[in-house]
Amino acid sequence: MRLICFNVNSWPPTAKNAAMSVTSATALSAAAAASKPAQARATSAALARWLSERLDADVLCLQETKVSERKLAEIKELAVLKGYESFWSCSRPPRTGYSGTAIFCRSPKWSPTRCAEEEVLPATHIFDHIPGGEAAVEALGLGPSLLSPPSYEGEGRFLEVELGEDLTLINVYVPNAGDREADGGVRAGVKVAFLRALRRRVDEILAQASKEGKNRGVVLCGDLNLAAAREDVCLKFDFDGLYSPEEMSALRALMAPPMVDAFRRLHPEATAGSAEGQRGFTVWDQRSNARSRDDGLRIDFFLVSDNLRLARCEVVADIPWPWSDHAALLLEIEEAPPEALASGGGGATAAAASPAATGAPPSSPPAPPSPPPSSSLASRPLLVRPPPPHEPVPQSSIKHPRWQPDPRQPTIAALFGAAGKKRVAGGGAVAAEVAKKKKEEK
């Protein structure tokens, strides 16, 4: 099973860029010239190809979609894709077009049997973590109550789906703590409450599965807006000053057994001291072009219960940088046979059942051992890249206004300059003005 987690920083422009990456601009222009429905069909088909062929995703979890319910109805071609079912949690008034999560599941193989939003998150004792209590939250515009509904409800930050009898998937976009001094720590309290509610929800799922005698696995993924340890933060940053002790305590509780940080489990060597591009970072500051130096953080996670067999977890590095300030994260889980999962051994091969245990007559031959889980996932490439039908579309040709060239944005050359020359603060425009003045003075 192949899952991808991606904070897209607004789905509409990212989806259109993705569609253009697998089809020609000429084809899309011809469809647009024919009619709006034709353009929508062409865009939707191209986006479905990107998802099913380029990413080869069984499940795609999106965060920060920034799509309101009203907008969702207007962009059906970006939400209803052939071969997939999609589920959306949208921010609601007064914060429409803010935050938001979505899950695309390959149909029919991974069609969910149940889907839920924030109402499943337990909110008991949530007041204990919010400075100023309900009045402070009302002043911040986060909802009338922390108990009904929780303060984070209405922001589209949580989606939970059940994928058959063996797996629950939770997709989250954890609130940012914001400016702690400006709001007195109110938003940081909401963040801590959200993290603790997530842990309680995970415990509820596992406890219910145990009660029913099921060996259900849990995958929790998304943008947690927290780095777990010093090795997940660029060495240039002060890790100790990034987060409060309460935030770190809540994150450690969320990551406590039986939950496992999939990337760190498989890549203990990927640390802030590694070579550029091998540090496992997932977010960078676009304004300072930090991604070119790999000065980032790892705040996007796959947390999985330890009864799932991990095949791989990687940062998807070749999605174009301008699409988002985050990188996508890939997780592959071995699809163990039901007999192995039922053994309770985390997907290990089940032992032969004895007649006494199965209730079979003594004369019956012992049951054969379960076959080992398929290893086909481990041999699959990180991304499937079919030959493009044309030359790749240059980024400068993308017409969405979000990616139009901004004369105020410094170029790479302006930021770093020629070898041995001092960088001029302020970017290309300032550098050009300084050079002009120096020439006039001479």
Side-chain angles (χ1 to χ4, degrees), residues 2 4 21-22 49-58 84 106 312 316 318 330 332 376-377 379-388:
R2 188 177 172 96
I4 291 179
S21 71
V22 296
R49 281 185 55 206
W50 175 77
L51 185 53
S52 64
E53 298 177 14
R54 187 69 62 85
L55 293 184
D56 189 21
D58 293 318
Y84 288 86
R106 195 190 294 271
R312 67 188 306 178
V316 182
D318 54 355
L330 164 71
E332 288 184 352
S376 60
L377 286 176
S379 62
R380 287 164 85 175
L382 181 59
L383 288 179
V384 177
R385 296 187 183 85

Side-chain angles (χ1 to χ4, degrees), residues 113-114 162 164-168 201 203-217 341-342:
T113 55
R114 188 183 68 86
E162 289 182 2
E165 292 295 320
D166 300 318
L167 185 65
T168 296
R201 181 56 186 162
D203 290 341
E204 283 184 352
I205 295 169
L206 295 174
Q208 183 63 29
S210 177
K211 183 178 178 181
E212 297 173 356
K214 298 178 180 178
N215 192 28
R216 174 172 288 276
L341 287 175

Side-chain angles (χ1 to χ4, degrees), residues 231 233-235 263 268-281 284 290-296 315 317:
E231 56 262 30
V233 176
C234 175
L235 296 176
F263 183 85
E269 80 291 346
T271 68
S274 302
E276 290 184 13
Q278 301 176 19
R279 299 168 183 169
F281 296 155
W284 302 263
R291 197 165 183 175
S292 66
R293 305 181 298 278
D294 203 14
D295 293 345
V315 175

Side-chain angles (χ1 to χ4, degrees), residues 246-427:
E246 293 78 14
E247 291 172 79
M248 294 307 300
S249 175
L251 179 62
R252 284 192 292 270
L254 179 61
M255 300 174 72
M259 302 305 288
V260 174
D261 178 356
F263 183 85
R264 184 56 64 210
R265 170 65 64 88
L266 297 176
H267 297 282
E269 80 291 346
T271 68
S274 302
E276 290 184 13
Q278 301 176 19
R279 299 168 183 169
F281 296 155
T282 61
V283 66
W284 302 263
D285 180 16
Q286 285 184 316
R287 292 169 296 182
S288 62
N289 196 38
R291 197 165 183 175
S292 66
R293 305 181 298 278
D294 203 14
D295 293 345
L297 305 90
R298 187 172 74 95
I299 65 174
D300 302 87
F301 291 84
F302 273 107
L303 305 182
V304 303
S305 56
D306 59 10
N307 60 341
L308 295 174
R309 186 189 295 271
L310 304 181
R312 67 188 306 178
C313 187
E314 310 283 349
V315 175
V316 182
D318 54 355
I319 291 178
W321 295 4
W323 291 12
S324 174
D325 53 343
H326 288 250
L329 194 62
L330 164 71
L331 175 71
E332 288 184 352
I333 302 174
E334 293 281 6
E335 297 174 36
E339 296 88 348
L341 287 175
S343 70
T349 302
S354 67
T358 60
S363 59
S364 299
S370 301
S374 168
S375 60
S376 60
L377 286 176
S379 62
R380 287 164 85 175
L382 181 59
L383 288 179
V384 177
R385 296 187 183 85
H390 59 88
E391 289 299 315
V393 179
Q395 191 68 31
S396 59
S397 72
I398 294 175
K399 301 302 182 184
H400 193 279
R402 180 179 173 194
W403 303 128
Q404 286 299 302
D406 183 351
R408 298 169 299 176
Q409 179 68 26
T411 63
I412 300 294
L415 281 171
F416 296 100
K421 289 188 177 181
K422 186 177 180 181
R423 172 180 141 186
V424 179

Side-chain angles (χ1 to χ4, degrees), residues 115-246:
C115 179
E117 295 186 52
E118 293 120 326
E119 67 270 10
V120 303
L121 282 183
T124 309
H125 306 306
I126 214 168
F127 274 118
D128 297 342
H129 315 300
I130 310 295
E134 186 173 354
V137 172
E138 287 181 348
L140 202 62
L142 298 178
S145 170
L146 287 176
L147 296 179
S148 180
S151 62
Y152 38 75
E153 187 168 312
E155 295 185 359
R157 295 185 176 274
F158 178 97
L159 267 177
E160 176 185 304
V161 294
E162 289 182 2
L163 302 174
E165 292 295 320
D166 300 318
L167 185 65
T168 296
L169 171 66
I170 300 174
N171 179 26
V172 299
Y173 178 36
V174 173
N176 193 299
D179 190 334
R180 298 175 181 85
E181 294 183 2
D183 68 4
V186 171
R187 193 66 185 177
V190 171
K191 180 179 183 179
V192 170
F194 187 87
L195 290 167
R196 293 183 177 175
L198 287 177
R199 180 67 218 201
R200 290 194 293 270
R201 181 56 186 162
V202 169
D203 290 341
E204 283 184 352
I205 295 169
L206 295 174
Q208 183 63 29
S210 177
K211 183 178 178 181
E212 297 173 356
K214 298 178 180 178
N215 192 28
R216 174 172 288 276
V218 176
V219 173
L220 187 152
C221 71
D223 177 357
L224 301 189
N225 259 314
L226 280 168
R230 167 73 265 185
E231 56 262 30
D232 299 319
V233 176
C234 175
L235 296 176
K236 298 177 182 179
F237 303 153
D238 176 20
F239 173 71
D240 294 332
L242 286 178
Y243 313 111
S244 68
E246 293 78 14

